[in-house]
Amino acid sequence: MVALGIGGLPMANTMVFRSELQSMVPDRFLGIDSSSSSRQRDLVFVVNPHGANGSTGKEWRKLVPYLRSRFGKECNICESLTSGPCHAIDITREAIREGADAVIAVGGDGTLHEVVNGFFWGGKPVTCQMKESTRSTALGLIPLGTGSDFARTFGWKNDPREAIERVARGLRSRIDVGVISEESCENHYFINVADIHLSAKAGFHAARYKRFGKLCYVIGALQGFMGHQNQDLRIKINEGEWETYPQVTAICIGNAKYFGGGMKIAPSADPYSGNLEVVILQNFKWYDFVLKLHKLYNGTHLSVKNVSSKSVLSIEVEDISGKGGVYIQSDGEHLGFLPKKISVHPGAIEMIV
């Protein structure tokens, strides 16, 4: 991790993180009153410089002078540029262990996804190793990526200065996180939407075309449809009985509302609710998506035939065809294939809102 020096240039990697007390305020928010503490807040900005075809890195460098002037001596500003897949996970874990006040993801949903996974290790939350620390590390977001779908649920724009003001205010609120588990595998966490079958397959292909911006979602969808077949799947809700769902096209499990570059797939999802919204599409043909695409984007598709929705604490999904190869992804990241169990971890992370 690298502190920002004069003119935004990197300083030596010598920063030691500190933390301050937090106080309760009305509703569900935890406020930060910097005027009442002599300690500086330590903010770690995790930046994907290659996000959005490199524009994330360029925009970040433009932001650095404003960031320094906005926070002044109030905060220790630390930037860390990711160098490849999963690097943001390691950065986040290190920052939390060293007592950072907040870790702020700078980029799109992929960067945010990695930072969220950095809040956990071995199925448990990562904690500060400094004995004098009395508060937890918060999660922040400056949306600068291709999709930025999670930010849409909160009504946040892709306006970095507006996001910096949120960080400056420092209001915190506990939000839910989804957990994806499988026997003999490490838990995986998601903050936005996990999805199965066609949409996950389309997302897998879309990731290869991110250089085309939001057009990657169209390309991914076209490739996803090639050779696609609806599948009978076994589903267990809330540890109940297994049920067979015939001709499943896609299953979307929302902690938040949007995915795929602005599609309001889980309109009833709420990251404060303690539940996940499951939306199941069955027996869809390619022309159904063409005819009903506008409903998927504006969130009115729950009234469409062959679409069902329910609020759950957990859902398990198995492929019963014996063919295998049913894709699953979360927050746009490919996670392999079924079977999987997805559950909610209520209030798992404090987020700057």
Side-chain angles (χ1 to χ4, degrees), residues 106-295:
V106 181
D109 293 315
T111 303
L112 177 62
H113 178 78
E114 286 199 9
V115 169
V116 166
N117 276 272
F119 273 75
F120 304 91
W121 174 258
K124 298 179 180 179
V126 178
T127 57
C128 177
Q129 295 178 343
M130 299 175 65
K131 293 181 180 179
E132 67 271 22
S133 178
T134 56
R135 68 176 305 161
S136 61
T137 301
L139 168 68
L141 173 63
I142 297 180
L144 284 178
T146 303
S148 297
D149 280 312
F150 179 74
R152 299 175 195 270
T153 293
F154 290 88
W156 297 340
K157 302 175 183 177
N158 273 12
D159 183 340
R161 296 201 175 198
E162 180 182 286
I164 289 171
E165 288 305 310
R166 281 196 300 274
V167 175
R169 288 193 302 271
L171 290 176
R172 297 175 171 214
S173 183
R174 285 209 165 271
I175 63 168
D176 307 333
V177 169
V179 185
I180 301 175
S181 57
E182 180 184 1
E183 288 186 16
S184 72
C185 289
E186 178 75 18
N187 286 349
H188 199 92
Y189 301 85
F190 68 96
I191 197 170
N192 193 43
V193 176
D195 52 307
I196 295 168
H197 206 17
L198 176 60
S199 55
K201 183 181 178 183
F204 174 78
H205 291 298
R208 298 158 57 189
Y209 298 98
K210 285 191 175 181
R211 63 185 180 276
F212 296 114
K214 291 189 177 182
L215 186 61
C216 72
Y217 299 112
V218 177
I219 299 172
L222 291 173
Q223 288 204 324
F225 274 116
M226 293 176 61
H228 170 77
Q229 292 182 338
N230 295 328
Q231 297 252 39
D232 295 350
L233 299 178
R234 285 186 4 140
I235 297 176
K236 181 193 289 188
I237 301 291
N238 297 338
E239 308 292 343
E241 299 296 324
W242 286 101
E243 295 183 44
T244 298
Y245 283 67
Q247 294 298 293
V248 173
T249 307
I251 302 175
C252 300
I253 303 101
N255 185 52
K257 301 179 187 296
Y258 296 87
F259 83 152
M263 192 178 295
K264 197 174 183 179
I265 191 64
S268 301
D270 179 357
Y272 297 117
S273 67
N275 296 285
L276 300 170
E277 183 186 10
V278 172
V279 177
I280 303 175
L281 283 64
Q282 293 173 268
N283 202 30
F284 266 54
K285 307 296 190 295
W286 68 267
Y287 51 81
D288 289 314
F289 284 96
V290 173
L291 296 173
K292 298 162 185 174
L293 188 62
H294 65 288
K295 289 182 177 290

Side-chain angles (χ1 to χ4, degrees), residues 1-4 8-11 13 43-51 54-64 67 77-92 94-95 103-107 111 114-115 144:
M1 285 171 290
V2 183
L4 295 183
L9 296 175
M11 293 171 58
N13 184 17
L43 306 178
V44 180
F45 293 82
V46 182
V47 186
N48 175 12
H50 305 295
S55 66
T56 298
K58 294 176 183 177
E59 290 299 317
W60 168 248
R61 299 317 305 171
K62 294 177 184 177
L63 274 179
V64 167
L67 197 67
I77 306 299
C78 176
E79 76 169 347
S80 192
L81 306 182
T82 61
S83 59
C86 300
H87 191 194
I89 297 176
D90 296 333
I91 294 168
T92 302
E94 178 185 354
V103 178
I104 297 97
V106 181
T111 303
E114 286 199 9
V115 169
L144 284 178

